[in-house]
Amino acid sequence: TLRLAVLASGRGSNLQAILDAIASGALDASIVGLWSDRRDAFALERARAAGVPAHVVRPRDHADRAAHDAALFGSIDATGADLIVCAGYMRLIGASAVAARPGRMINIHPSLLPLFKGLHTHQQALDAGVTEHGASVHVVTADLDAGPVLAQARVPVLPGDDADTLAARVLEREHPLLVQTLHTIATGRLVPGAEMARLDGAPLAAPLQL
Ligand code: GAR
């Protein structure tokens, strides 16, 4: 059983998708804790409702990023988590914290990476005039939204879309995308750490299309 540590900053609908998949038996995993950088994150409520320990580790309670990372990852590591899942975690993680856990952190990002890194991805897609958009699950590396892409889901951009309608269409696909990717990892068919190694010269595997 894959032991997951989940990080979330807000609504937590991706966390809920993981919880639901575990509860239904679709995903052989357990969530050892939910960590948030915000006390008002609804993700905390969702975790508590499911009996998952909910932790708040706020940047403002620490002197700098290194101290915040040390507190956050110290708490996570104490649980013996196999994989750290950033599910709507809206904060940069320091390079040394990432480097200390090579291939053990993944992130879901609302764009077809390498397009539209960072924030406001749906508006970025509209501004660029693309006809296709979506979401990616990738390995977290020191560079923002730039680690190897493990899986993607695609949606059309439709006439009349605004950032909200597009975000809703993408979000609906994010939930199965994240769950399916975790299932593929839990069943040993995908090893995020092995995909990391490919960065050293070998061509990247084509991401799963989900
Ligand atoms: C999701 O769309 C996720 O892809 C995005 O935030 C949303 C969180 O929703 N993540 C990022 O933008 C990461 N930079 P949720 O809290 O309902 O899961």
Side-chain angles (χ1 to χ4, degrees):
T1 300
L2 190 67
R3 295 165 56 81
L4 307 174
V6 180
L7 275 56
S9 298
R11 177 177 58 190
S13 71
N14 277 289
L15 165 71
Q16 191 67 55
I18 302 170
L19 288 167
D20 292 349
I22 292 171
S24 75
L27 177 62
D28 181 17
S30 66
I31 302 185
V32 298
L34 181 278
W35 284 261
S36 184
D37 55 327
R38 298 179 57 109
R39 202 148 62 180
D40 60 354
F42 188 60
L44 294 161
E45 310 285 330
R46 297 184 191 264
R48 290 184 193 117
V52 168
H55 311 265
V56 177
V57 185
R58 294 190 305 173
R60 71 171 68 166
D61 296 331
H62 300 87
D64 53 22
R65 190 195 302 284
H68 179 247
D69 281 349
L72 174 63
F73 289 100
S75 168
I76 292 172
D77 289 349
T79 65
D82 301 309
L83 188 70
I84 299 165
V85 181
C86 299
Y89 188 66
M90 304 305 285
R91 189 163 294 280
L92 283 171
I93 295 167
S96 62
V98 174
R101 294 161 188 80
R104 284 192 44 230
M105 298 178 56
I106 64 172
N107 178 47
I108 185 160
H109 180 79
S111 77
L112 295 174
L113 290 171
L115 294 175
F116 316 134
K117 295 172 182 169
L119 298 176
H120 311 298
T121 57
H122 308 299
Q123 191 59 51
Q124 288 190 56
L126 291 169
D127 292 347
V130 294
T131 57
E132 193 178 47
H133 184 45
S136 305
V137 176
H138 68 94
V139 183
V140 175
T141 60
D143 297 319
L144 179 68
D145 301 332
V149 174
L150 301 174
Q152 291 181 320
R154 295 167 183 274
V155 302
V157 179
L158 300 177
D161 267 339
D162 60 23
D164 291 339
T165 59
L166 194 50
R169 194 174 307 123
V170 171
L171 187 68
E172 192 175 300
R173 297 292 302 282
E174 286 188 42
H175 301 152
L177 172 69
L178 184 56
V179 167
Q180 273 301 315
T181 305
L182 288 170
H183 179 63
T184 310
I185 294 169
T187 52
R189 288 172 292 154
L190 179 65
V191 180
E195 301 299 324
M196 281 283 290
R198 289 174 198 271
L199 283 181
D200 299 335
L204 278 180
L208 301 173
Q209 301 295 323
L210 298 172

